[in-house]
Amino acid sequence: MTAVPTVRSRPAITLAVVLLAFASVPMSISGAAVALPGIGDDLHAAGAPLQWVMNAYNLTFASFMLVAGSAADRVGRRRIFVTGAAVFAVGSIAAALSTGIELLGLARALSGIGAAGVFASGGAILATTFDGAQRTRAFAALGSAAGLGLAVGPTLSGWLVGGMGWRATFGMHAVLVLVALAGVGFVAESRAPRRPRPNAVGAVVFVAGLGALVLGAVQGPEWGWASAGVLLLLAAGLALLVAFSVLQSRSADPLLDLTLVRNRRFLALCMVPVVTTFGFVTLLTYLPTYLVGAGGFSAQRAGTVLLLMTGPVLLAPPLAGGLVNRGVPARLLITVSLALFAVGNLWLTVIGPSTPVATFAGPLLLVGLGAGLSFGVGDGLAMSLVEPGRAGMATGFLNTMRVGSEAIVIAVFGAVLVSLIGTRVDSPELAAEVAAGDLSGGVSHVLADGYTHALHLALYGTAAVCAVGAVLIGLALAPARGRATPPAAPQPYESAASGTPAPRPASGASNAANATSGKAR
């Protein structure tokens, strides 16, 4: 359930502001990857220091998401959105002006903190601005915006890098967010009815714990998974997250209310982006490298082929939202989407160094359709299970699962790929070069065959993960047998402008909203 704010706002402008900012954040991830070669040449950087242009952003983005979401409930969702967008813009401008790789890494870390504020508060703003069928459509549009950022980021960055240099890429990200901020005056402020006290200790422990866990995963391929440094980081991260759970269970004003995690259906919906990372994001990250290295594609052609997978992500979310509003259970769409990941990854094992694009176009379209069906719908359904007072906390936790899993799974997938290639080539160093798309260190067709063998095995693994995830999440989303799932009791909504609870809607309006929410379930 959600409530509609009583302060005057412009829902259409609110939606446009949040969508533009949401598209900019993933664009900064996928677009920056294209700029890396130019950055390396200009700043004389390579290897791990260059990779931290990506890692620094992902690390802070994941670590600060929950903190930003809980802060949004306490001090105001619009306020955290504005602060996050401003920090993101400053970090992007600093990145564009950086004169060294170290400064660029710090600027990207700052952008990641701002991105966490945008993502955590943006979803909460939509959840408290829209209700019923309108909320379903709003979150479907949010899924399309995120997909748009991922899809067009590499293309726009490629044009800018080729015409103006890599600095223009980060400048573009700053401009887009500043344009979004221009309309923020039409966004209503909102916060929890009872403003919780700051939980500084919990925030520090959580950021340190998740940061150590993500850092350990990121450094695993470089330092070695059995190295003392990686094992220490992973152990420290897990220990701190356990300590965080204990602290939250004893806190009167927790950063994360553990009753959210104990909600079977909400937790299942938070696992949807984790499975999506396995079935979709890993392909988005590693398939272009395979096409260029083993398939002999140009970077431009590889990016064009990838549109087969990213295109449906732009088109399917509104379709999925429309189906939900027409009575199709969101649970069914989500389960089908995860099953499509499994089938698509399994089918993609037809790919080889000389395979025509038409042969593997089908699985790419299937994977993209799976991502498009779940983007937005899953988030909207998750927010329908949370009262408005915890909207920021809920979106913060949901997106922590999304971004944290991306940072960890992508690192682990890459390490597994290198290990599998290593079983077919002479040395670990050569295996790493092949996984990066460089097949010049040996007989090219032998290395390409080894790369293909490793990719096929990895695809079998991701297909299995997605199949199991589809079954478990589908079962977890099922209502309890023998009784209907009661809707969450609506909570009073406090306007930041008035400071007073809004009156409850009339019973007819409330019943209509409940009926719409029931369709989603």
Side-chain angles (χ1 to χ4, degrees), residues 5-394:
T6 56
V7 296
R8 176 172 293 182
S9 65
R10 301 286 183 86
I13 298 179
T14 296
L15 181 61
V17 166
V18 173
L19 293 184
L20 181 56
F22 253 66
S24 303
V25 169
M27 189 182 298
S28 186
I29 300 174
S30 61
V34 176
L36 286 182
I39 293 171
D41 291 340
D42 188 31
L43 301 183
H44 308 292
L50 183 61
Q51 195 59 40
W52 270 99
V53 173
M54 302 293 295
N55 292 341
Y57 183 93
N58 293 333
L59 180 63
T60 55
F61 189 17
S63 300
F64 282 86
M65 191 79 71
L66 181 60
V67 176
S70 292
D73 288 337
R74 186 174 66 85
V75 305
R77 284 111 190 192
R78 185 180 68 177
R79 181 174 297 177
I80 293 299
F81 181 85
V82 170
T83 302
V87 170
F88 179 87
V90 169
S92 297
I93 293 171
L97 299 176
S98 295
T99 56
I101 195 65
E102 294 83 6
L103 292 176
L104 180 56
L106 291 174
R108 290 287 288 165
L110 184 63
S111 294
I113 296 174
V118 170
F119 253 52
S121 59
I125 287 173
L126 295 189
T128 53
T129 301
F130 300 97
D131 202 358
Q134 288 185 337
R135 181 171 56 198
T136 300
R137 287 192 290 269
F139 274 95
L142 201 65
S144 290
L148 178 67
L150 284 173
V152 307
T155 303
L156 289 178
S157 292
W159 291 342
L160 289 171
V161 170
M164 303 173 63
W166 63 268
R167 298 179 188 276
T169 297
F170 299 112
M172 175 188 66
H173 303 154
V175 169
L176 290 175
V177 170
L178 290 174
V179 171
L181 282 177
V184 80
F186 297 99
V187 178
E189 180 63 287
S190 65
R191 61 173 66 94
R194 185 186 70 84
R195 299 178 67 177
R197 292 176 297 177
N199 192 328
V201 174
V204 170
V205 172
F206 180 80
V207 170
L210 186 59
L213 197 63
V214 173
L215 182 59
V218 167
Q219 293 301 120
E222 182 183 355
W223 293 353
W225 291 99
S227 66
V230 168
L231 292 177
L232 181 61
L233 283 170
L234 296 178
L238 290 173
L240 286 170
L241 291 179
V242 170
F244 170 77
S245 300
V246 174
L247 288 172
Q248 299 313 288
S249 67
R250 300 175 178 176
S251 174
D253 294 297
L255 191 70
L256 174 63
D257 189 341
L258 296 182
T259 59
L260 277 177
V261 183
R262 297 189 190 107
N263 183 321
R264 167 176 57 88
R265 300 179 70 215
F266 178 78
L267 183 59
L269 291 166
C270 290
M271 293 303 298
V272 171
V274 178
V275 179
T276 302
T277 297
F278 279 95
F280 175 76
V281 179
T282 52
L283 288 181
L284 194 67
T285 304
Y286 291 102
L287 186 59
T289 304
Y290 174 83
L291 293 175
V292 172
F297 287 38
S298 66
Q300 291 78 8
R301 188 185 178 200
T304 302
V305 169
L306 215 62
L307 289 174
L308 291 168
M309 190 169 69
T310 56
V313 178
L314 308 181
L315 303 175
L319 171 63
L323 290 174
V324 169
N325 284 335
R326 286 172 173 78
V328 176
R331 172 200 175 202
L332 175 62
L333 287 178
I334 291 169
T335 304
V336 168
S337 74
L338 303 184
L340 290 177
F341 290 147
V343 176
N345 276 262
L346 187 63
W347 187 5
L348 191 56
T349 55
V350 300
I351 197 171
S354 57
T355 306
V357 173
T359 302
F360 58 89
L364 294 185
L365 289 168
L366 211 60
V367 169
L369 179 61
L373 288 176
S374 62
F375 275 19
V377 170
D379 288 18
L381 180 57
M383 296 310 298
S384 74
L385 303 176
V386 180
E387 65 270 20
R390 297 190 297 177
M393 180 188 296

Side-chain angles (χ1 to χ4, degrees), residues 438-515:
D438 181 4
L439 276 65
S440 62
V443 180
S444 60
H445 72 86
V446 174
L447 296 181
D449 288 343
Y451 196 171
T452 302
H453 172 74
L455 180 63
H456 286 181
L457 291 179
L459 290 172
Y460 286 131
T462 55
V465 170
C466 294
V468 172
V471 172
L472 295 180
I473 290 173
L475 292 174
L477 291 178
R481 290 185 177 182
R483 61 182 180 89
T485 303
Q491 300 295 316
Y493 182 90
E494 181 184 8
S495 162
S498 66
T500 58
R504 290 180 181 269
S507 58
S510 178
N511 290 339
N514 286 345

